[in-house]
Amino acid sequence: MFGRWQKARPAPEPSIFASSYRLPNAIRYPLNAVSSFLQFAELCDALAATSKKLEKRAFIADYLKSLPVEDAGRAALWLSGTPFAETDPRVLNIGGSLLSKAIAELSGAGQEAMSAAYRRYGDFGAASADLLYGHAPANASITLAEVESGFAVIAEARGPAAKLRLFLDLLRRTTPDEAKYLIKLATGDMRTGVKQSLVEEAIAEAYAATTAAVRRADMLLGSLLEVVALAAAGRLDDARMKLFHPIGFMLASPVQTVEEAVARFTEEIRAEKSGVSEALPPDERAVDGGPDLPSEPSMGLKAAQLEDKFDGIRAQLHVSPETSAANHASRVALYSRNRDDLSESFPDLVDAFASIGEPAILDGEILAWNPTAQRALSFSSLQQRLGRKRPTPEMLRDIPAVLIVFDILYRGDALLLEQPLSHRRAVLEDFCGRWTAATLASDAGRQSDLFAARAEQAFPRLILAAAARLTSADGLDQAYVGARARGNEGVMIKSLASIYQPGRRGLAWLKLKRELATLDVVVTGVEYGNGRRAAVLSDYTFAIRDPDDPEAPLKNVGKAYSGLTDQEIADMTTWFKAHTLEEYGHFRTVEPTVVLEVAFNNLMRSTRHASGFALRFPRIVRIRIDKPVEEIDTLQRVEEIYASQPDKPVDETPVDDS
Ligand code: AMP
């Protein structure tokens, strides 16, 4: 079958090594060899060449339809940018240095040629393809099934040397165009502008299903391989929840002020004063016990819940009793917002939650906890734990973690996502009532050596987030002040009628966190960015003034790489190249003349920068061409802002947050 994407294939990108460039052989490729990886690579090129979403979707749908179901499953999965399904714990573990070695070996390119190619493309796959022209077979092609088994043996191999050998075996059988996408897949950086959601839409189009049915099946199963099989068989409704793959996190939209939050949650209320369920039809609502006269519509607040916005890391807990486990411990996994498995970093939590004897998925925030004060430790404490893959016993003792939960998505055999928050909250309260006490981490025959020494530290690791009703603007203001005083970042406002929408940032959840302040700073150092920004100087280190120190009047206070437009970054790159003081590889110091206004969420003490402070979540608001360096903010101003922070870190010892 000749798909729409084949007709639309772009002219191949010209190679920088023009003499060794070969015309991709797809045009000569037999069209019925449907499961070749080359055809997959060509589709990816066609996808990268169009920015039109509908066109991309049509290309993918045509392609999937042309393949046997198993191959369509493989292709759908890889198009979403990952070599293995979400429910599949295998990983390739092929990092940048291993890939560089592989490409150097196959192409004979030296370090300089490799860096130059990378700079040119900002993308390892495309750069590698370029280097491989003339050094790789021009006509070979492997099948999708062969790539799949190649990935399987690489995932199984132990140690970089074995992995390198196996990856080279695979690459030796590929043309440069195929190698490009093999590498992109291995690094998870496809750059085709195709997200999982678009693949889901294309599956729906290919197999005449609804997108909603495909999305739901994918959310439940966590495997596009299985979704394609069900879609092709017309059995998407048979999908049932599988635990141990992360479900997308529901996100909140920002609001700057209490007034804005209240305005967003104000709606027309028809039967005011009823106090009874708004679900009742108007003629069943009694007002003040009197006859139920039709009431004038008036404005009122939507039923909403307020929670503190905790300053830790978002995590999804999956827990399920294992019938096979001799000690009745449950299987436990914690996933991050980026879908990483956090379990290894939080053995104290995994251990504590193994006592939960009921299958469930909970949504919450991991915090470093001070059990005596019953409040969170600073984010920088948690960061110390995050800096290592496995925490040391000392860290487990000094920086214990908790999961503070605010939502429940699944319990027993009930999927709760499609229930309103009011119902989910009731289930969550019941769940915590039943299991919180069981999550004392020191109650551990399991990892006794880790925890026995500190029985006095026993405290539940599952904590229910407090919730209050939104009643008025004043109430919200007080909740915000209270949250900040408790060391939290701000307040979340959540509609009680809202369902849990995985991966969506909607208006059903709002986050109110005021920006602390902005600082005017001067750029002192710059470096190249990553990916799309690999060839431009986009990461800026900046300083404030210290008038009391004539020896070092400028003191660095942070680094930011977001907020400027591409054009501004391009202009800045030219400027900084011409005003470089010293070059240290990727980093260069520059003449301190460019003034920026930066916003941030918090100030912390830190040994990372000379000022003794670091900014949390800094972003560039604008370039202040109007402002001379002599007028930028001072260390004294930074100290004032720090002093005015209601939620200064609990442990104020300087930390190295690098
Ligand atoms: P932001 O990272 O600023 O987009 O804010 C969203 C993040 O707030 C979420 O991903 C959570 O990590 C965090 N968060 C803290 N407390 C809550 C809460 N009570 N409900 C939902 N998200 C929360």
mmCIF file of all heavy atoms in Angstrom, residues 251 307-310 313-314 337 365 406 492 494 505 509 511 513, ligand 1:
data_model
loop_
_atom_site.group_PDB
_atom_site.id
_atom_site.type_symbol
_atom_site.label_atom_id
_atom_site.label_comp_id
_atom_site.label_asym_id
_atom_site.label_seq_id
_atom_site.Cartn_x
_atom_site.Cartn_y
_atom_site.Cartn_z
ATOM 1 N N LEU A 251 -2.518 18.352 36.144
ATOM 2 C CA LEU A 251 -1.743 19.537 36.507
ATOM 3 C C LEU A 251 -2.661 20.735 36.728
ATOM 4 O O LEU A 251 -3.831 20.720 36.343
ATOM 5 C CB LEU A 251 -0.735 19.852 35.398
ATOM 6 C CG LEU A 251 0.275 18.734 35.120
ATOM 7 C CD1 LEU A 251 1.088 19.041 33.881
ATOM 8 C CD2 LEU A 251 1.184 18.517 36.319
ATOM 9 N N GLU A 307 -6.009 23.062 49.243
ATOM 10 C CA GLU A 307 -4.938 22.264 49.857
ATOM 11 C C GLU A 307 -3.677 23.109 49.820
ATOM 12 O O GLU A 307 -3.538 23.971 48.956
ATOM 13 C CB GLU A 307 -4.670 20.987 49.034
ATOM 14 C CG GLU A 307 -5.835 20.034 48.946
ATOM 15 C CD GLU A 307 -5.689 19.081 47.756
ATOM 16 O OE1 GLU A 307 -4.590 18.984 47.175
ATOM 17 O OE2 GLU A 307 -6.695 18.456 47.400
ATOM 18 N N ASP A 308 -2.743 22.811 50.697
ATOM 19 C CA ASP A 308 -1.442 23.471 50.596
ATOM 20 C C ASP A 308 -0.753 22.979 49.332
ATOM 21 O O ASP A 308 -0.942 21.842 48.917
ATOM 22 C CB ASP A 308 -0.550 23.117 51.796
ATOM 23 C CG ASP A 308 -0.929 23.920 53.031
ATOM 24 O OD1 ASP A 308 -1.973 24.597 52.988
ATOM 25 O OD2 ASP A 308 -0.186 23.855 54.023
ATOM 26 N N LYS A 309 0.050 23.843 48.735
ATOM 27 C CA LYS A 309 0.894 23.403 47.623
ATOM 28 C C LYS A 309 2.253 23.065 48.217
ATOM 29 O O LYS A 309 2.996 23.937 48.633
ATOM 30 C CB LYS A 309 1.025 24.500 46.570
ATOM 31 C CG LYS A 309 1.841 24.047 45.374
ATOM 32 C CD LYS A 309 1.839 25.089 44.280
ATOM 33 C CE LYS A 309 2.425 24.553 42.991
ATOM 34 N NZ LYS A 309 3.792 24.071 43.102
ATOM 35 N N PHE A 310 2.526 21.779 48.281
ATOM 36 C CA PHE A 310 3.741 21.305 48.949
ATOM 37 C C PHE A 310 4.932 21.434 48.017
ATOM 38 O O PHE A 310 4.808 21.262 46.809
ATOM 39 C CB PHE A 310 3.558 19.849 49.388
ATOM 40 C CG PHE A 310 2.321 19.663 50.221
ATOM 41 C CD1 PHE A 310 1.168 19.141 49.652
ATOM 42 C CD2 PHE A 310 2.302 20.059 51.539
ATOM 43 C CE1 PHE A 310 0.011 19.009 50.397
ATOM 44 C CE2 PHE A 310 1.149 19.926 52.289
ATOM 45 C CZ PHE A 310 -0.005 19.403 51.719
ATOM 46 N N ILE A 313 8.556 16.667 45.562
ATOM 47 C CA ILE A 313 8.433 16.172 44.196
ATOM 48 C C ILE A 313 7.179 15.320 44.064
ATOM 49 O O ILE A 313 6.855 14.513 44.926
ATOM 50 C CB ILE A 313 9.670 15.374 43.722
ATOM 51 C CG1 ILE A 313 10.049 14.306 44.727
ATOM 52 C CG2 ILE A 313 10.848 16.272 43.453
ATOM 53 C CD1 ILE A 313 11.022 13.322 44.132
ATOM 54 N N ARG A 314 6.488 15.557 42.983
ATOM 55 C CA ARG A 314 5.233 14.858 42.731
ATOM 56 C C ARG A 314 5.510 13.377 42.548
ATOM 57 O O ARG A 314 6.481 12.992 41.886
ATOM 58 C CB ARG A 314 4.611 15.437 41.458
ATOM 59 C CG ARG A 314 3.228 14.897 41.100
ATOM 60 C CD ARG A 314 2.179 15.669 41.837
ATOM 61 N NE ARG A 314 0.827 15.325 41.419
ATOM 62 C CZ ARG A 314 0.136 15.983 40.501
ATOM 63 N NH1 ARG A 314 0.690 16.989 39.867
ATOM 64 N NH2 ARG A 314 -1.106 15.633 40.217
ATOM 65 N N ARG A 337 6.848 12.641 37.924
ATOM 66 C CA ARG A 337 6.081 13.324 36.892
ATOM 67 C C ARG A 337 6.660 13.054 35.507
ATOM 68 O O ARG A 337 5.956 13.098 34.516
ATOM 69 C CB ARG A 337 6.145 14.821 37.214
ATOM 70 C CG ARG A 337 5.052 15.614 36.640
ATOM 71 C CD ARG A 337 5.036 16.928 37.373
ATOM 72 N NE ARG A 337 4.951 18.012 36.424
ATOM 73 C CZ ARG A 337 4.873 19.293 36.771
ATOM 74 N NH1 ARG A 337 4.892 19.642 38.024
ATOM 75 N NH2 ARG A 337 4.793 20.220 35.857
ATOM 76 N N GLU A 365 2.810 14.075 46.962
ATOM 77 C CA GLU A 365 4.086 14.778 46.870
ATOM 78 C C GLU A 365 5.041 14.161 47.897
ATOM 79 O O GLU A 365 4.677 13.995 49.065
ATOM 80 C CB GLU A 365 3.822 16.260 47.193
ATOM 81 C CG GLU A 365 4.956 17.180 46.951
ATOM 82 C CD GLU A 365 4.927 17.871 45.566
ATOM 83 O OE1 GLU A 365 4.109 17.494 44.702
ATOM 84 O OE2 GLU A 365 5.749 18.767 45.368
ATOM 85 N N PHE A 406 -2.868 13.513 48.087
ATOM 86 C CA PHE A 406 -4.033 14.379 47.894
ATOM 87 C C PHE A 406 -5.030 13.816 46.891
ATOM 88 O O PHE A 406 -6.044 14.434 46.611
ATOM 89 C CB PHE A 406 -3.633 15.813 47.541
ATOM 90 C CG PHE A 406 -2.496 15.919 46.534
ATOM 91 C CD1 PHE A 406 -2.721 15.657 45.202
ATOM 92 C CD2 PHE A 406 -1.232 16.312 46.949
ATOM 93 C CE1 PHE A 406 -1.694 15.779 44.285
ATOM 94 C CE2 PHE A 406 -0.194 16.428 46.032
ATOM 95 C CZ PHE A 406 -0.428 16.153 44.687
ATOM 96 N N MET A 492 -3.420 25.220 46.494
ATOM 97 C CA MET A 492 -4.094 24.641 45.329
ATOM 98 C C MET A 492 -5.597 24.805 45.540
ATOM 99 O O MET A 492 -6.083 24.627 46.663
ATOM 100 C CB MET A 492 -3.803 23.144 45.204
ATOM 101 C CG MET A 492 -2.357 22.762 45.221
ATOM 102 S SD MET A 492 -1.449 23.241 43.746
ATOM 103 C CE MET A 492 -2.289 22.296 42.495
ATOM 104 N N LYS A 494 -9.112 23.328 43.992
ATOM 105 C CA LYS A 494 -9.543 22.250 43.099
ATOM 106 C C LYS A 494 -11.065 22.123 43.097
ATOM 107 O O LYS A 494 -11.674 22.024 44.176
ATOM 108 C CB LYS A 494 -8.932 20.927 43.553
ATOM 109 C CG LYS A 494 -7.414 20.929 43.576
ATOM 110 C CD LYS A 494 -6.857 19.588 44.032
ATOM 111 C CE LYS A 494 -5.338 19.601 43.985
ATOM 112 N NZ LYS A 494 -4.753 18.341 44.501
ATOM 113 N N ARG A 505 -3.442 20.043 31.921
ATOM 114 C CA ARG A 505 -3.347 21.243 32.745
ATOM 115 C C ARG A 505 -4.586 22.054 32.432
ATOM 116 O O ARG A 505 -4.670 22.716 31.414
ATOM 117 C CB ARG A 505 -2.093 22.035 32.397
ATOM 118 C CG ARG A 505 -1.801 23.163 33.352
ATOM 119 C CD ARG A 505 -0.640 24.005 32.873
ATOM 120 N NE ARG A 505 0.629 23.306 32.887
ATOM 121 C CZ ARG A 505 1.357 23.080 33.983
ATOM 122 N NH1 ARG A 505 0.931 23.491 35.156
ATOM 123 N NH2 ARG A 505 2.501 22.447 33.910
ATOM 124 N N TRP A 509 -8.077 22.638 38.365
ATOM 125 C CA TRP A 509 -7.109 22.810 39.451
ATOM 126 C C TRP A 509 -6.354 24.113 39.200
ATOM 127 O O TRP A 509 -5.824 24.317 38.108
ATOM 128 C CB TRP A 509 -6.070 21.693 39.455
ATOM 129 C CG TRP A 509 -6.528 20.357 39.912
ATOM 130 C CD1 TRP A 509 -7.814 19.930 40.068
ATOM 131 C CD2 TRP A 509 -5.678 19.250 40.269
ATOM 132 N NE1 TRP A 509 -7.812 18.621 40.487
ATOM 133 C CE2 TRP A 509 -6.525 18.179 40.618
ATOM 134 C CE3 TRP A 509 -4.299 19.056 40.310
ATOM 135 C CZ2 TRP A 509 -6.032 16.933 41.009
ATOM 136 C CZ3 TRP A 509 -3.804 17.831 40.693
ATOM 137 C CH2 TRP A 509 -4.666 16.776 41.059
ATOM 138 N N LYS A 511 -3.322 26.804 40.842
ATOM 139 C CA LYS A 511 -2.275 26.942 41.865
ATOM 140 C C LYS A 511 -2.004 28.416 42.077
ATOM 141 O O LYS A 511 -1.823 29.162 41.126
ATOM 142 C CB LYS A 511 -1.014 26.194 41.462
ATOM 143 C CG LYS A 511 -0.465 26.569 40.111
ATOM 144 C CD LYS A 511 0.762 25.747 39.757
ATOM 145 C CE LYS A 511 1.227 26.115 38.363
ATOM 146 N NZ LYS A 511 2.216 25.249 37.806
ATOM 147 N N LYS A 513 0.542 30.750 43.709
ATOM 148 C CA LYS A 513 1.822 30.967 44.394
ATOM 149 C C LYS A 513 2.357 32.268 43.853
ATOM 150 O O LYS A 513 2.553 32.427 42.664
ATOM 151 C CB LYS A 513 2.789 29.803 44.177
ATOM 152 C CG LYS A 513 3.017 29.417 42.744
ATOM 153 C CD LYS A 513 4.109 28.383 42.625
ATOM 154 C CE LYS A 513 4.394 28.170 41.150
ATOM 155 N NZ LYS A 513 5.364 27.180 40.843
HETATM 156 P P1 AMP B 1 4.140 23.573 39.222
HETATM 157 O O1 AMP B 1 5.279 22.599 39.388
HETATM 158 O O2 AMP B 1 4.416 24.921 39.717
HETATM 159 O O3 AMP B 1 3.529 23.481 37.833
HETATM 160 O O4 AMP B 1 2.974 23.055 40.178
HETATM 161 C C1 AMP B 1 2.401 21.812 40.050
HETATM 162 C C2 AMP B 1 3.018 20.912 41.053
HETATM 163 O O5 AMP B 1 2.603 21.257 42.353
HETATM 164 C C3 AMP B 1 2.560 19.475 40.950
HETATM 165 O O6 AMP B 1 3.186 18.746 39.947
HETATM 166 C C4 AMP B 1 2.913 18.947 42.325
HETATM 167 O O7 AMP B 1 4.241 18.468 42.332
HETATM 168 C C5 AMP B 1 2.859 20.156 43.193
HETATM 169 N N1 AMP B 1 1.859 20.094 44.255
HETATM 170 C C6 AMP B 1 2.128 20.419 45.523
HETATM 171 N N2 AMP B 1 1.061 20.299 46.288
HETATM 172 C C7 AMP B 1 0.057 19.872 45.508
HETATM 173 C C8 AMP B 1 -1.312 19.566 45.741
HETATM 174 N N3 AMP B 1 -1.866 19.695 46.949
HETATM 175 N N4 AMP B 1 -2.054 19.157 44.670
HETATM 176 C C9 AMP B 1 -1.497 19.029 43.447
HETATM 177 N N5 AMP B 1 -0.217 19.309 43.162
HETATM 178 C C10 AMP B 1 0.551 19.730 44.194
#
